[in-house]
Amino acid sequence: ALYDATGVRFRSPPFSPARVRAALEERARPGKRRWWWAGALAVTGLLATLWPFRPSIAPVARPAANLYSAETIERGRLVAEAGDCAVCHTAEGGTVNLGGRPFETPFGTLYSTNLTPDPDTGIGNWSFAAFERAMREGIGRDGRHLYPAFPYTDFAKISDADMQALYAYLMAQPAVAAPAPQNDLRFPFNIRSMMAGWNLLFHDPSPFKPDPTRSAQWNRGAYLFEGAGHCGACHTPRNLFGAEKGGDARLSGALVDGWEAPALTAASRSPAGWTEQSLFEYLRTGRSDAHGVAGGPMAPVVAGLAELPEDDVRAIAHYVATQMDAPLSDPAQSERAAAVVAASRAEPVGQEAGQRVFEGACAACHENGTATFTSAKQALALNTNLHSQRPDNVIQSILGGVHAEGVAGAGEMPAFAHSLSDRQIVDLVQYLRARFAPGETPWKEVGKTVADLRREHDQQ
Ligand code: HEC
Ligand code: HEC
Ligand code: HEC
């Protein structure tokens, strides 16, 4: 039966997770997507039935307010900031951590939960053991499996002391009653126990292991990046089963919430190249002169990092720099940046329609030499997004503008969704590519991407 379902023949038992995973990845080729889902389901379903049932953990009374010290609660607040709990657990315009933010998946809509210590609708009657199991293994207090839209796959790496502090912090917040909206997931994805098989194949709940051959700073950065920071959850592409890919694909860039999270490896398309110093500036303030701003889903991440001690953000920058093979600093970076900007002064031929839109709507803020209070500080030619293989982030910035609340350096740009037509945006985007990334090939299917992203915008 296993062979019929998956097309994968195992010569000898037992079906270890590693073997099933290797065989599935081996067989997973583009063009066979539909068929593959059926196989994946059969295998995860089969493994789910082999996996022991997860019991519920008895409810407890909420810990007394004076049980934890102020230092522990403050430490927990920083873990929560690093982990962006409030970003996902707060609905648009809603009360912090009350849940109800929708997550669109290919299988339907899932909602985040109430993270306040309300005993009935939040986590008020969760013991630390129940909380820790959810954070490390993705199992709710009542024993049900949680979906990995909740990044427990990364949170599993949070240290015991940080996990205790996080629990203390959440329990010390005001309790507010609000049930999470009903999920709207299609059969069979609404069967939570299927996640047991997924966890067996794709989740590694082992604690963070420092690398003794690396510096303390590198290990601190790795811990924050891989654990609470869950940076890979957005920057690593996922396989057909929704699990992060490994090997060369790790941190190689991925699509998330209609945006592209760019590569954080040597494959970065930043034209002037990153340095550890410029990564630190970007992560600390949301902007870097030789790159651009955090204006999309990266903005709340930067707002969270702003709460952390400076050394922690330096450690993350150091760790990212080693993933990118980027130097600490690079005197040639500003020269290279100047050359990239100089190359973008010439008007491209054959892009007159887009040029007209740019001159009418954008040049006042984006043309060099016309700096005013509202004008953009960074040259568009240095923006990674214009050099990417995909136009998504540029289109997102045009449709929605840049409004990075809580991000010191991001600046403010108006939205153009209502003043520019799809046709104008397509012309404009092709012009921007030709002028500011003259060495790159033109983007394909810009019209379709504009239409798709505008539809998502209208729904928000
Ligand atoms: C990327 C979005 C995201 C982030 C970041 C996030 N969560 Fe969640 N979380 C979710 C979603 C979605 C669910 C619901 C999962 C489900 O129903 O299967 C959830 C569920 C949970 C649950 C289970 C609650 C229940 O009632 O079953 C806990 C506990 C939790 N999150 C804690 C946290 C903490 C603590 C943080 C910060 C360190 C955090 N989450 C950050 C998306 C997120
Ligand atoms: C919610 C998804 C998400 C998470 C979590 C996330 N990022 Fe990002 N990141 C993005 C997106 C999307 C962009 C593109 C720009 C934007 O959003 O403004 C980006 C941009 C970046 C950039 C700029 C890359 C370039 O070449 O322009 C860096 C560096 C970065 N992220 C590092 C990190 C680090 C370090 C973490 C963890 C602390 C992290 N990201 C967590 C989504 C995310
Ligand atoms: C009122 C001034 C203003 C106008 C008008 C304006 N921008 Fe911007 N734009 C900004 C600011 C400020 C930023 C933030 C970055 C910075 O400070 O350099 C920005 C950033 C951007 C970015 C990078 C966003 C990111 O997330 O990396 C793009 C792309 C962009 N603008 C394109 C345009 C286009 C195309 C137009 C015309 C349709 C336009 N802008 C009109 C002020 C403006």
Side-chain angles (χ1 to χ4, degrees):
L2 189 61
Y3 175 72
D4 292 341
T6 64
V8 180
R9 198 184 285 282
F10 295 91
R11 284 199 182 77
S12 57
F15 311 118
S16 78
R19 291 193 60 195
V20 177
R21 189 168 53 227
L24 285 173
E25 276 171 8
E26 162 86 359
R27 296 284 312 219
R29 272 184 245 115
K32 295 210 168 176
R33 294 194 162 224
R34 281 172 181 283
W35 186 79
W36 261 100
W37 270 110
L41 285 179
V43 171
T44 50
L46 176 87
L47 289 169
T49 56
L50 298 175
W51 193 243
F53 169 75
R54 307 308 301 261
S56 99
I57 295 181
V60 295
R62 179 179 169 191
N66 58 1
L67 183 65
Y68 297 103
S69 69
E71 291 84 71
T72 302
I73 291 174
E74 171 61 10
R75 178 177 184 162
R77 183 182 75 85
L78 297 184
V79 180
E81 290 289 356
D84 303 322
C85 317
V87 177
C88 285
H89 283 272
T90 308
E92 186 89 30
T95 307
V96 171
N97 278 344
L98 215 52
R101 178 175 154 181
F103 290 81
E104 309 292 342
T105 76
F107 332 113
T109 309
L110 172 72
Y111 294 89
S112 63
T113 54
N114 183 344
L115 213 51
T116 75
D118 179 63
D120 302 319
T121 61
I123 58 169
N125 63 10
W126 289 41
S127 62
F128 175 71
F131 176 73
E132 184 179 28
R133 184 174 71 170
M135 295 293 286
R136 298 197 191 283
E137 297 177 52
I139 313 284
R141 188 192 64 75
D142 57 3
R144 71 198 171 131
H145 283 84
L146 302 169
Y147 294 104
F150 163 44
Y152 61 87
T153 42
D154 298 65
F155 294 158
K157 301 282 174 274
I158 294 176
S159 71
D160 291 346
D162 278 349
M163 195 67 89
Q164 290 270 2
L166 178 60
Y167 177 74
Y169 165 74
L170 290 171
M171 287 302 174
Q173 301 312 302
V176 187
Q182 275 289 315
N183 290 336
D184 182 17
L185 294 169
R186 278 198 300 281
F187 178 83
F189 302 99
N190 55 357
I191 304 174
R192 286 181 176 266
S193 59
M194 279 205 350
M195 292 314 301
W198 191 96
N199 286 338
L200 202 54
L201 289 172
F202 299 116
H203 179 39
D204 167 18
S206 66
F208 174 74
K209 282 184 253 5
D211 179 344
T213 67
R214 301 282 195 163
S215 68
Q217 191 190 34
W218 187 94
N219 277 303
R220 178 68 184 158
Y223 168 70
L224 289 166
F225 186 103
E226 310 287 352
H230 67 284
C231 312
C234 289
H235 286 273
T236 296
R238 291 173 187 269
N239 65 17
L240 293 180
F241 314 102
E244 289 175 31
K245 290 185 182 170
D248 287 349
R250 191 178 158 267
L251 300 179
S252 66
L255 288 179
V256 49
D257 295 341
W259 289 71
E260 181 192 9
L264 299 182
T265 62
S268 164
R269 302 183 70 91
S270 160
W274 286 95
T275 62
E276 187 173 326
Q277 182 56 30
S278 53
L279 283 164
F280 169 71
E281 281 159 21
Y282 180 92
L283 294 172
R284 191 62 174 170
T285 67
R287 65 168 272 199
S288 152
D289 283 341
H291 300 92
V293 294
M298 192 57 198
V301 176
V302 170
L305 294 180
E307 298 289 318
L308 266 52
E310 183 177 318
D311 282 351
D312 277 350
V313 182
R314 284 204 185 276
I316 297 174
H318 177 66
Y319 180 74
V320 177
T322 58
Q323 308 301 309
M324 286 183 162
D325 290 330
L328 179 61
S329 65
D330 176 7
Q333 191 195 41
S334 55
E335 260 167 62
R336 228 172 15 248
V340 172
V341 174
S344 74
R345 296 244 161 77
E347 290 294 350
V349 204
Q351 298 287 346
E352 287 71 18
Q355 184 181 343
R356 275 194 299 279
V357 182
F358 185 78
E359 280 164 5
C362 325
C365 290
H366 281 287
E367 206 60 271
N368 302 308
T370 53
T372 66
F373 182 64
T374 55
S375 63
K377 311 287 181 297
Q378 281 98 33
L380 285 178
L382 295 174
N383 194 296
T384 307
N385 299 329
L386 282 147
H387 297 261
S388 163
Q389 279 160 314
R390 315 182 57 98
D392 301 51
N393 288 6
V394 173
I395 296 169
Q396 288 281 20
S397 300
I398 296 172
L399 288 172
V402 175
H403 325 269
E405 293 97 1
V407 180
E412 184 71 30
M413 162 175 152
F416 288 90
H418 300 297
S419 47
L420 295 176
S421 69
D422 282 12
R423 182 72 251 161
Q424 285 174 307
I425 295 180
V426 172
D427 290 342
L428 174 60
V429 166
Q430 274 156 349
Y431 164 81
L432 295 171
R433 175 73 159 181
R435 174 162 169 207
F436 295 105
E440 305 283 353
T441 49
W443 280 316
K444 293 189 189 74
E445 298 195 354
V446 178
K448 183 178 181 306
T449 313
V450 171
D452 288 349
L453 293 180
R454 188 192 284 279
R455 206 171 314 119
E456 282 174 30
H457 250 264
D458 292 346
Q459 281 164 7
Q460 278 165 12

